[in-house]
Amino acid sequence: MATIKSNRRGFIKSATLIGAGASLIPTAACADEAKNSEKISASALQQPKPKKILILGGTGFIGPNMVKYAKERGHEVTIFSRGNRESEVDGVEHLIGDRNNDLSALEGRKWDVVMDNNTYDYKWVQLSTEKLKDAVDHYIFVSSISAYDLPEESRSDKPVYDQIVDENYNRFKTGPNWKDGDEAPYGLMKAICENIAHEAFPGRTTVVRPGLIIGPGDKTDRWTYWPVRIAEGGEVLAPGNPQHANQVIDQRDLTEWIVRLAENGAMGNFNGVGPASRMSMGQMLGAIWGGVGGDATFTWVDEQFLEEQGVGAWQDMPSWIPGDPLMFCTNQKSIEAGLRFRPLAQTAADTLAWDLNRPEEERNNRRAGLSREREKEVLDAWASGNN
């Protein structure tokens, strides 16, 4: 069984963990998640009316499962990309172009719905909405919770946040000196894209704001690090306060839900985050351990010590932003619109299986997470200071 190693600072106290129900094995929240995953909505069981779907992208991380699921549901699917990668699904029309300057392949065509899930530049959305506003009935834009404008002081050391971010929370806005054509940081860029889509398709736009998207196929290692590391076993460095909230969503749950939103004609803004109920960092690591097995033990190291050691959130310790309300966005509206979640343990097991088949070069040069050598250095330093 995974265990907790105590430390002198008392950062983890057994009574706190027991009282809050946040042990390092799957807990009630994880059980609720599993139970929720079994509640398949009626719309998911029924054979939908076939639609003509255009996917801008379709060959990257979230695209292939979106295409696969749409085909399985009986829809006619067209993808539009630069042609660097072929579709992984048979029977899909593949149009070639460039969202920067060549949308000619879309001319003279009509679709019921477009799914825009490959946007890095708001100018792409300007061009695509202008081209498609009379050719498509419904525009679905995959945005991000990074569009929400939370002040720096909103971060808290408390495990339960005062702020809960719903779909009406303030988003980033352009400043007085900003003009169309200027570059924009990621959060502002996503907010601008949302505005463009709503303006071009008034009453016909769906905006989905995911948090961290995880699962098989994610080459960023922003979450893959944890199933891989925990499966290796031994002493695992676990960051900060295990009670802090964490949100992730399996790319398969996200993309299949987006297809069902298209089927149902659901309009408006939705937070595409999971799981179904509040999940702590401790619960997340416990659920991963439950999925991949092994003899891992967790040593929780407090945030101040990690900062002193130069170990940063997100990049060095993936899927960890301690005290950030963006790790606890509301998703009730999305659940009511049919969003469902498979157990996180299943996601962990599937991600590990996928990772084991990655090219060796990718596995040896991960894009996020501490090296095993660096992790041991920090753990040794922590142990030295607590003896």
Side-chain angles (χ1 to χ4, degrees), residues 161-178:
Y161 311 136
D162 295 327
Q163 297 184 70
I164 298 178
V165 181
D166 65 14
E167 286 84 356
N168 296 317
Y169 196 89
N170 293 332
R171 297 173 304 127
F172 283 103
K173 298 178 181 179
T174 56
N177 297 322
W178 190 91

Side-chain angles (χ1 to χ4, degrees), residues 99-358:
R99 297 197 65 177
N100 288 300
N101 52 26
D102 183 10
L103 302 179
S104 58
L106 304 179
E107 293 176 358
R109 301 289 300 274
K110 288 187 176 294
W111 291 271
D112 296 308
V113 59
V114 58
M115 299 173 183
D116 189 346
N117 62 10
N118 190 26
T119 298
Y120 298 96
D121 190 330
Y122 67 88
K123 294 184 283 294
W124 291 7
V125 182
Q126 287 176 326
L127 293 173
S128 61
T129 54
E130 180 63 28
K131 176 68 71 173
L132 295 169
K133 64 183 180 182
D134 296 322
V136 174
D137 297 326
H138 182 187
Y139 201 100
I140 299 179
F141 176 69
V142 181
S143 184
S144 169
I145 58 171
S146 294
Y148 293 122
D149 184 10
L150 277 87
E152 283 294 324
E153 57 268 23
S154 65
R155 179 174 166 175
S156 172
D157 291 332
K158 296 182 295 184
V160 178
Y161 311 136
D162 295 327
Q163 297 184 70
I164 298 178
V165 181
D166 65 14
E167 286 84 356
N168 296 317
Y169 196 89
N170 293 332
R171 297 173 304 127
F172 283 103
K173 298 178 181 179
T174 56
N177 297 322
W178 190 91
K179 61 183 182 298
D180 188 20
D182 286 352
E183 297 297 318
Y186 184 74
L188 175 59
M189 185 274 292
K190 284 293 190 181
I192 295 172
C193 290
E194 293 180 12
N195 296 341
I196 294 169
H198 277 298
E199 290 169 5
F201 288 79
R204 298 185 291 142
T205 296
T206 303
V207 169
V208 175
R209 298 174 183 140
L212 178 59
I213 306 172
I214 66 172
D218 179 18
K219 297 183 178 182
T220 68
D221 294 304
R222 293 180 302 176
W223 190 80
T224 304
Y225 169 86
W226 290 113
V228 171
R229 176 64 192 93
I230 292 171
E232 289 179 3
E235 185 181 13
V236 176
L237 193 163
N241 185 339
Q243 298 291 336
H244 274 309
N246 198 291
Q247 285 187 315
V248 295
I249 187 166
D250 190 305
Q251 58 99 352
R252 297 166 295 183
D253 296 333
L254 176 68
T255 54
E256 291 166 16
W257 173 57
I258 291 173
V259 171
R260 296 196 298 274
L261 289 176
E263 293 171 357
N264 299 330
M267 308 296 175
N269 304 321
F270 300 89
N271 288 334
V273 296
S277 56
R278 187 187 190 277
M279 177 177 69
S280 70
M281 188 73 183
Q283 288 170 332
M284 185 182 79
L285 296 189
I288 294 170
W289 173 83
V292 303
D295 63 353
T297 62
F298 298 91
T299 297
W300 291 88
V301 179
D302 78 33
E303 183 182 343
Q304 180 180 349
F305 183 84
L306 291 176
E307 290 179 352
E308 292 169 355
Q309 291 290 313
V311 176
W314 196 254
Q315 182 63 30
D316 293 327
M317 288 279 96
S319 186
W320 177 58
I321 313 179
D324 194 329
L326 283 183
M327 280 295 190
F328 192 36
C329 297
T330 60
N331 59 5
Q332 186 58 40
K333 180 180 178 182
S334 300
I335 291 173
E336 291 172 357
L339 179 58
R340 298 293 180 264
F341 311 97
R342 66 199 70 205
L344 192 62
Q346 178 185 339
T347 299
D350 294 346
T351 301
L352 180 63
W354 166 80
D355 185 81
L356 290 173
N357 291 309
R358 288 172 73 179

